[in-house]
Amino acid sequence: MARKLESTLDAVVDGVVVLDADRRIEFLNPEACRILETSLEAAHGLLIDSVTGSDHSIANLSRIVMTNGRPAIERERPIERRIEPDLVVDVQASPLLEGHTVDGVILTLRDCTIHNNLQELVDQRQALSAFGRIAAGIAHEVKNPLGGIRGAAEILLARAGDDKSKRAADLIVREVDRIALLVEDFMVFTRGEELRLASTNIHRVLDDVLAVAQLDPIGASVEVRREFDPSIPEFQADSDRLVQVFLNLVRNAFQAMEGVAGVLVISSRITLDHRLTSADGRHLPTLVVELCDNGPGIEPGMLDKLATPFFTTRSGGTGLGLAVSRHWIARHLGTLRIESEPQRGTTVRVALPLMTQR
């Protein structure tokens, strides 16, 4: 009977943790082992606090239920993990009763990360679609008048009889060209450009990006640490677009660390935890590239605005770099996420489906 019950719990899609009266682990099913990054053999007999931390919701709920004997639940609690990306789980704790005495606790852990990530992905793609409609409108309303303004300014420049008039006309031409270039950059959201997929070595892409970025005087003072997984195979991607994406991300990190002893850690790995889907519906392993800097971090209120076109916190910035980067990652069916806390640096995580053949 015990073996049959264990097999049944192993088949449950949620994580199941059984604690005894001292809140020591008696059983973990495979999903709980994945979420908590442990095994039944390693965790058996340990206090749940030593696995999750004494102040985590899982440990707190187990204490509450042992005390009052009533079920409790907390929604969307973060799980920090050592190896794989952090998770968000719903935690439910119920008492195990021996007569009227609480003899243990059963914890159910439901991984909400996939659902949240899918919702974020949908939101990103809806935003990119909206940017495309806005860009089409801007192109229609702005590009033609700009051509007329530039032509008139060139005529003024040719007819100007004094230096002040010439400088004014030249300034108009240069400003029109700058606006036209911004509109052209924004038009990336309206075009259905096909990716030029080819066998791509992600580490060669990153090395090329760093070689260019470190020519910038700001980059020359930053210590770059590579933590690459050499086992990652080549995969199908548009290497030119990936260079564009990662060059923008690396430059952003360098600029964020200007004036401090900057350290940028770039890592690569494969994860099977949450697989991305290819264009033909196949679930593929995920290639994850993380860029972690020790800059000043980003205020929480700014994070959601960062990928909005023309929003920038940097003097002289156009506010298009991150939006365009997210566009090209989305075209690869991947995701780009930013995590940051003030005074604790910023992590940018790019996930791409590891499609090894077309």
Side-chain angles (χ1 to χ4, degrees):
M1 184 66 181
R3 184 175 299 174
K4 186 174 181 180
L5 177 60
E6 185 174 323
S7 298
T8 301
L9 293 176
D10 283 348
V12 175
V13 295
D14 292 337
V16 177
V17 183
V18 179
L19 307 181
D20 64 17
D22 296 320
R23 297 192 308 113
R24 296 185 181 275
I25 295 171
E26 284 193 340
F27 176 79
L28 299 169
N29 74 345
E31 176 66 358
C33 292
R34 181 188 72 83
I35 291 172
L36 299 174
E37 285 190 318
T38 188
S39 65
L40 178 56
E41 293 77 11
H44 189 270
L46 295 179
L47 277 172
I48 187 65
D49 304 47
S50 65
V51 176
T52 65
S54 60
D55 58 347
H56 194 275
S57 298
I58 294 175
N60 288 335
L61 283 182
S62 70
R63 282 192 290 268
I64 291 170
V65 171
M66 283 298 301
T67 300
N68 63 26
R70 292 193 298 271
I73 187 169
E74 289 196 15
R75 302 286 187 186
E76 298 197 352
R77 309 311 301 168
I79 298 280
E80 294 184 2
R81 302 202 295 173
R82 299 180 303 278
I83 302 171
E84 295 293 344
D86 295 346
L87 301 178
V88 176
V89 299
D90 289 344
V91 184
Q92 181 172 330
S94 302
L96 293 173
L97 299 175
E98 184 72 34
H100 296 291
T101 304
V102 179
D103 193 45
V105 177
I106 184 165
L107 298 162
T108 305
L109 312 177
R110 173 163 294 179
D111 187 355
C112 305
T113 314
I114 296 176
H115 176 271
N116 292 354
N117 288 350
L118 286 173
Q119 186 59 54
E120 182 181 344
L121 187 58
V122 169
D123 291 345
Q124 284 185 17
R125 292 183 179 175
Q126 286 177 342
L128 291 171
S129 177
F131 297 158
R133 293 192 294 272
I134 294 169
I138 288 176
H140 177 73
E141 297 295 336
V142 174
K143 289 190 78 172
N144 290 338
L146 281 179
I149 294 170
R150 193 183 196 286
E154 288 176 333
I155 293 172
L156 287 174
L157 182 61
R159 295 179 178 179
D162 59 87
D163 289 343
K164 184 177 181 180
S165 298
K166 287 181 179 179
R167 287 196 300 272
D170 184 58
L171 177 63
I172 293 171
V173 171
R174 286 188 283 110
E175 285 300 297
V176 166
D177 287 346
R178 184 181 67 83
I179 295 170
L181 185 60
L182 279 175
V183 173
E184 185 65 23
D185 288 343
F186 198 36
M187 287 294 291
V188 71
F189 299 109
T190 71
R191 302 186 186 115
E193 282 185 60
E194 292 295 324
L195 295 175
R196 294 191 293 273
L197 297 179
S199 186
T200 301
N201 183 315
I202 189 62
H203 300 141
R204 188 170 298 134
V205 167
L206 295 172
D207 284 338
D208 289 348
V209 164
L210 291 171
V212 172
Q214 288 181 299
L215 295 175
D216 189 308
I218 297 176
S221 62
V222 175
E223 178 188 350
V224 176
R225 300 175 186 168
R226 294 168 170 85
E227 297 181 358
F228 296 166
D229 179 352
S231 69
I232 295 176
E234 294 192 352
F235 70 113
Q236 293 294 309
D238 186 328
S239 60
D240 290 338
R241 294 306 180 189
L242 291 186
V243 166
Q244 180 182 353
V245 168
F246 286 111
L247 185 57
N248 176 67
L249 297 179
V250 168
R251 281 175 171 163
N252 284 350
F254 284 175
Q255 289 162 355
M257 295 183 286
E258 187 174 8
V260 303
V263 177
L264 176 64
V265 179
I266 303 182
S267 62
S268 66
R269 57 188 168 81
I270 295 174
T271 177
L272 303 178
D273 214 6
H274 296 135
R275 297 189 173 203
L276 294 175
T277 304
S278 66
D280 59 6
R282 288 179 295 148
H283 293 286
L284 300 173
T286 301
L287 165 62
V288 178
V289 177
E290 290 184 344
L291 298 88
C292 304
D293 69 57
N294 66 338
I298 302 167
E299 294 293 334
M302 296 287 190
L303 276 175
D304 292 337
K305 301 176 184 178
L306 287 180
T308 303
F310 304 118
F311 176 83
T312 181
T313 59
R314 191 172 69 249
S315 175
T318 65
L320 282 177
L322 194 56
V324 171
S325 295
R326 183 163 279 172
H327 167 78
W328 287 120
I329 293 300
R331 290 296 306 276
H332 280 82
L333 303 179
T335 60
L336 188 158
R337 295 189 180 87
I338 302 172
E339 298 173 1
S340 186
E341 293 182 39
Q343 310 309 317
R344 298 190 64 180
T346 299
T347 296
V348 180
R349 182 176 296 112
V350 175
L352 295 164
L354 195 68
M355 185 170 62
T356 55
Q357 59 183 3
R358 299 185 66 174

